[in-house]
Amino acid sequence: MTWLQVHLCPSVMSVTALLRCTTRSQRQQVMAFLVQQRALSAAEAVNALRPFYFAVHPDFFGQFPREREVNENSLKQLNGYMENLQKPGLKLVQPIKLTFYIRDTKESTEKQPDIVSSGFRSVSFILHTNDILSTVMNVLTSCSLPVEHMERHEKSFGTCKSGPDGGESFHRPIKWDKSYYIFTGFRDPEQELQQTKRMEPTLHGWLRNSEPEATKKHNASLPRREELSRLKKELCEKFLLADIKWQRSWGVAHKCSQLQSLTRLSHQNPEDLINLQGHTVVFADQSGMNASGDVMLGTMDVHHQWTKLFQQLPSYRSLQQQTDWLKERISCLLGGSQVIHLGPVQPIAEHYSTLNAFHKSLMSRRLHLHPRSLHGLTMVLDNDRSTPSLHEMGHFIIPINCDPLKLQLFLQSHAPEARSRTLQRHQLQVEEEAVVQLCVQRLSLRGLSKEPSLSSSHMILCCRRFIEQHPPLLQGLHVCVSHFYSVMQDGDLCVPWDWKS
């Protein structure tokens, strides 16, 4: 039996006694041993988190931009947290709070029956673990996902979970005495966690430190902002475009370069852009037409690929007309409710295929719905769901292969609640527009926006507090209401909606 096994395995051995009976070199071996015992490779961590990724991955939330944005931001923070854990050394990572939307999976539905009525369930938790295995276990248990596949990793800790005689194992985590942190100089994770909860920056304090940097970056970006506005206006007027948008929150310089590239193409071959008339152009990850009929230009594509897309637009418009016809037929079959598409990324061909499969399913059985009984209500078709649900924003989430008779009963029984939520959403949107406009005027802002993941109620609350407390350092700046503090590359300020005063 090695020195480490003698000193670490007995559960009755106190930390204070261990510190007294070992040298500094041995204490370093102890810590290295503990870290090694709780090591989990990056590949094993990804495999262990597979149920979690299946439940929260943004690709499954393509039609729900709010939930998708929240999960994207939280996954970035989680990945950064786990990367820090894999770095060599014994330093502790800073605790972070994460929020995820968990979609309807078999495991989550069985443990969370309320998911059917709300569409998705929201889970928030704080990570303050200092090894990969504990982090993986924390994520899975916090999201009510299965952990049975982790048993073999738990068993791999071997001797440290059993006594020297191979007796009964103990499952409590090692909790160091406070004297250990004083003696070694390591940071106390519990103390760090409490400080993280208490020491969130106030808006005034953060603005005082960040406003000079934001103003400097904003002033430097003004020429690029003017150039961006000029290029956009010229292209829209010259080719009668409905609008020009961007799929992602790229910086002003990036957007300018994309418009300059399209402008060069219009000068070289102006006849190629004639087919764009009346369309909205969206600079996106891939080229094509999306479910809303917008023309997507892949930012990594060359002019030849854009030109080829422009030539194919007449056939895309024909497909769009067939898509609109399918939507009308479905609306007639389902009491006047309308199929909508949330989010700009789904290709038109994929959307048509989804509508066609759903239409055939409805035609398999005759439904008995009054032609206008569901007029004014909306629904989203989802390939990955097994049961229909009602989203908190008032639209139905319908599986493509849902049994028509069950669908009819669900729509009829949930129609009153859907109307109530839809009305409330419209009222909040009107109130949000009014309070945003008032906030811009009162605080003399250059612009005020929000991330797609934020609801209207969050934005209204944030703006009301802006108006009441009137922060003095926002004048003349662009503000984006978000989940975190940040100064963007063009001087825009990201401020959490629930900022502390």
Side-chain angles (χ1 to χ4, degrees), residues 104 109 116 385-389 397-399 402:
D104 180 10
T109 302
V116 176
R385 296 185 71 86
S386 58
T387 56
S389 62
I397 305 174
I398 308 299
C402 184

Side-chain angles (χ1 to χ4, degrees), residues 52-316:
F52 167 73
Y53 290 133
F54 185 72
V56 305
H57 199 282
D59 288 349
F60 293 114
F61 292 80
Q63 300 188 33
F64 309 101
R66 176 184 172 188
E67 290 85 355
R68 179 187 180 95
E69 185 78 15
V70 170
N71 285 5
E72 281 183 345
N73 291 333
S74 295
L75 279 174
K76 289 177 184 178
Q77 296 181 71
L78 175 60
N79 291 337
Y81 186 92
M82 296 183 68
E83 286 176 4
N84 288 333
L85 291 179
Q86 294 169 16
K87 294 179 180 178
L90 299 176
K91 59 183 179 180
L92 304 179
V93 294
Q94 192 74 14
I96 59 172
K97 181 179 180 181
L98 299 177
T99 297
F100 286 100
Y101 280 96
I102 309 297
R103 71 189 188 93
D104 180 10
T105 62
K106 180 179 180 181
E107 294 85 357
S108 60
T109 302
E110 292 174 352
K111 296 185 178 183
Q112 301 286 340
D114 60 314
I115 194 173
V116 176
S117 61
S118 62
F120 305 101
R121 60 184 172 96
S122 176
V123 173
S124 296
F125 55 92
I126 295 177
L127 283 183
H128 54 91
T129 48
N130 292 303
D131 61 87
I132 295 294
L133 179 65
S134 296
T135 301
V136 170
M137 292 293 291
N138 192 357
V139 170
L140 292 175
T141 55
S142 298
C143 297
S144 300
L145 293 170
V147 294
E148 290 79 6
H149 61 292
M150 296 298 297
E151 289 181 356
R152 65 183 183 87
H153 295 294
E154 292 286 348
K155 292 177 181 178
S156 67
F157 297 153
T159 58
C160 282
K161 287 200 170 185
S162 61
D165 57 352
E168 183 180 356
S169 63
F170 64 100
H171 298 279
R172 64 175 178 81
I174 296 177
K175 187 174 182 179
W176 299 105
D177 188 89
K178 296 296 181 183
S179 60
Y180 165 77
Y181 299 105
I182 297 174
F183 190 83
T184 62
F186 288 119
R187 295 181 296 177
D188 185 347
E190 292 187 1
Q191 185 179 359
E192 293 262 327
L193 178 61
Q194 295 302 321
Q195 289 178 350
T196 300
K197 294 179 178 179
R198 290 195 304 265
M199 297 180 62
E200 294 184 17
T202 63
L203 177 64
H204 182 75
W206 184 81
L207 287 177
R208 186 173 59 251
N209 296 327
S210 305
E211 186 272 337
E213 178 190 3
T215 300
K216 180 180 179 180
K217 289 183 175 181
H218 175 77
N219 292 336
S221 71
L222 288 177
R224 294 192 298 270
R225 292 180 188 270
E226 294 176 358
E227 175 71 0
L228 178 67
S229 178
R230 182 187 66 82
L231 289 172
K232 181 177 178 179
K233 182 179 179 181
E234 287 182 357
L235 285 168
C236 287
E237 290 180 349
K238 183 176 181 180
F239 297 100
L240 301 178
L241 303 179
D243 198 2
I244 297 178
K245 298 179 180 179
W246 285 265
Q247 179 182 336
R248 302 192 180 278
S249 300
W250 286 300
V252 175
H254 196 171
K255 292 180 179 179
C256 273
S257 66
Q258 292 163 356
L259 289 187
Q260 288 167 352
S261 182
L262 183 58
T263 299
R264 286 195 298 271
L265 178 60
S266 70
H267 291 159
Q268 297 168 0
N269 301 295
E271 65 281 357
D272 291 336
L273 277 70
I274 297 300
N275 288 331
L276 285 176
Q277 181 175 337
H279 286 282
T280 293
V281 172
V282 179
F283 287 95
D285 296 332
Q286 59 181 358
S287 296
M289 178 179 284
N290 65 16
S292 301
D294 303 330
V295 178
M296 299 186 296
L297 299 182
T299 56
M300 301 300 293
D301 294 342
V302 296
H303 285 180
H304 171 73
Q305 292 167 302
W306 286 2
T307 300
K308 185 177 180 180
L309 170 64
F310 299 153
Q311 295 170 351
Q312 294 173 339
L313 284 181
S315 61
Y316 275 117

Side-chain angles (χ1 to χ4, degrees), residues 432 435-440 443 448 457-469 481 497 499:
E432 178 187 358
V435 75
V436 166
Q437 184 176 2
L438 180 62
C439 195
V440 171
L443 274 64
L448 179 61
S457 57
H458 288 160
M459 187 66 171
I460 291 170
L461 178 61
C462 178
C463 290
R464 284 177 176 171
R465 296 178 64 214
F466 274 148
I467 296 172
E468 290 173 0
Q469 302 193 25
V481 180
W497 69 271
W499 49 271

Side-chain angles (χ1 to χ4, degrees), residues 375-393:
H375 180 73
L377 299 181
T378 56
M379 65 178 63
V380 175
L381 302 181
D382 193 340
N383 287 308
D384 300 311
R385 296 185 71 86
S386 58
T387 56
S389 62
L390 178 60
H391 194 272
E392 61 181 5
M393 303 303 290

Side-chain angles (χ1 to χ4, degrees), residues 323-338:
T323 300
D324 292 339
W325 178 85
L326 276 176
K327 288 182 178 180
E328 291 179 4
R329 293 292 305 150
I330 292 172
S331 179
C332 292
L333 293 171
L334 294 182
S337 58
Q338 297 290 325

Side-chain angles (χ1 to χ4, degrees), residues 333-366:
L333 293 171
L334 294 182
S337 58
Q338 297 290 325
V339 176
I340 61 173
H341 176 77
L342 302 177
V345 294
Q346 188 180 31
I348 185 68
E350 181 180 330
H351 189 49
Y352 173 82
S353 177
T354 299
L355 290 170
N356 192 38
F358 184 62
H359 181 253
K360 290 180 179 178
S361 175
L362 292 178
M363 294 297 291
S364 64
R365 292 193 184 183
R366 180 176 178 84

